[in-house]
Amino acid sequence: DAGVIQSPRHEVTEMGQEVTLRCKPISGHNSLFWYRQTMMRGLELLIYFNNNVPIDDSGMPEDRFSAKMPNASFSTLKIQPSEPRDSAVYFCASSLAGGAEAFFGQGTRLTVV
Amino acid sequence: GESVGLHLPTLSVQEGDNSIINCAYSNSASDYFIWYKQESGKGPQFIIDIRSNMDKRQGQRVTVLLNKTVKHLSLQIAATQPGDSAVYFCAEIRGNKLVFGAGTILRVKS
């Protein structure tokens, strides 16, 4: 298995632009998580899905952030409009069940200038 | 200028020595804990896990100890190698959410 696949690996965008991060979870996993990692806050859970349904989005910082999971093999995290303080590494992870070991992708390094 | 951010504890060990990384958790209802290793430029990687009905679990060169009384976890790495240099996170399952601690930097000196 290729593991969790995220794209792009790096994204540089201007403030105000829309950014879409993509994730393909491991086949057969039914839980998917989006995390953000910064020096200031460490690894923060933004949102997680179970069977494609958003279960807890309490970590999503603002209305500028939205996440979707249209099917079991794809999820997106969108930021619109982006701001410099959104610069971070965004990780997607998946697991067989919500309470089990999560496997992480390589992350997307987002820089908003 | 002054740098502001998380000040992760750093553990420096000599190659070949044993390492002990500690973690405190806050939620007494958490029943599943995982240690992750994160190397530079990569996502966190599973090392070992433990459920709350156990107090010790061993893997290859790693041992996790759980003390529920004081809500404390530790990760012991035997015969530490240069490839063990990374940031180590303990994580707990709260409900179905995987919540991470701040992390500890492990530096292995050759």
Side-chain angles (χ1 to χ4, degrees):
Chain A
D1 198 318
V4 176
I5 299 173
Q6 291 186 246
S7 64
R9 288 295 311 275
H10 302 273
E11 176 81 38
V12 181
T13 191
E14 289 185 346
M15 181 173 65
Q17 297 298 306
E18 177 180 298
V19 174
T20 299
L21 311 181
R22 295 173 175 79
C23 175
K24 181 180 188 308
I26 292 172
S27 176
H29 283 191
N30 56 16
S31 291
L32 182 140
F33 308 83
W34 282 102
Y35 287 86
R36 176 173 68 177
Q37 187 172 36
T38 60
M39 288 299 293
M40 291 291 291
R41 294 194 175 90
L43 267 164
E44 302 173 274
L45 177 62
L46 300 178
I47 185 171
Y48 83 93
F49 294 83
N50 198 42
N51 294 321
N52 313 340
V53 176
I55 302 300
D56 187 334
D57 65 354
S58 59
M60 295 286 262
E62 313 172 19
D63 291 346
R64 297 184 297 106
F65 285 69
S66 62
K68 293 182 180 179
M69 192 164 185
N71 58 62
S73 58
F74 185 65
S75 177
T76 59
L77 178 68
K78 186 178 292 188
I79 308 172
Q80 165 65 17
S82 57
E83 296 182 4
R85 60 195 168 114
D86 301 330
S87 298
V89 181
Y90 290 81
F91 287 104
C92 176
S94 70
S95 71
L96 272 173
E101 169 197 350
F103 292 81
F104 282 75
Q106 296 278 55
T108 295
R109 180 173 293 277
L110 173 66
T111 303
V112 183
V113 297
Chain B
E2 186 177 5
S3 140
V4 178
L6 289 175
H7 293 284
L8 300 186
T10 300
L11 177 65
S12 291
V13 299
Q14 196 67 38
E15 181 180 357
D17 287 352
N18 296 336
S19 304
I20 300 176
I21 301 170
N22 296 304
C23 176
Y25 63 95
S26 56
N27 190 342
S28 56
S30 296
D31 60 2
Y32 181 46
F33 304 88
I34 306 175
W35 279 100
Y36 280 87
K37 172 186 179 184
Q38 186 176 24
E39 296 174 282
S40 180
K42 296 184 178 180
Q45 193 175 16
F46 172 90
I47 303 173
I48 192 168
D49 59 358
I50 190 167
R51 297 210 173 264
S52 59
N53 60 353
M54 303 171 72
D55 52 23
K56 181 179 179 179
R57 189 153 189 238
Q58 287 186 289
Q60 189 178 17
R61 280 203 307 121
V62 295
T63 301
V64 55
L65 299 177
L66 173 62
N67 185 331
K68 295 182 287 294
T69 304
V70 295
K71 291 186 279 190
H72 182 267
L73 271 173
S74 67
L75 177 71
Q76 300 177 1
I77 305 173
T80 313
Q81 302 168 1
D84 296 327
S85 293
V87 180
Y88 288 80
F89 295 93
C90 66
E92 60 186 292
I93 299 291
R94 294 184 196 169
N96 283 333
K97 298 197 295 188
L98 185 61
V99 179
F100 283 79
T104 297
I105 299 170
L106 176 64
R107 291 205 175 103
V108 182
K109 299 175 284 189
S110 298

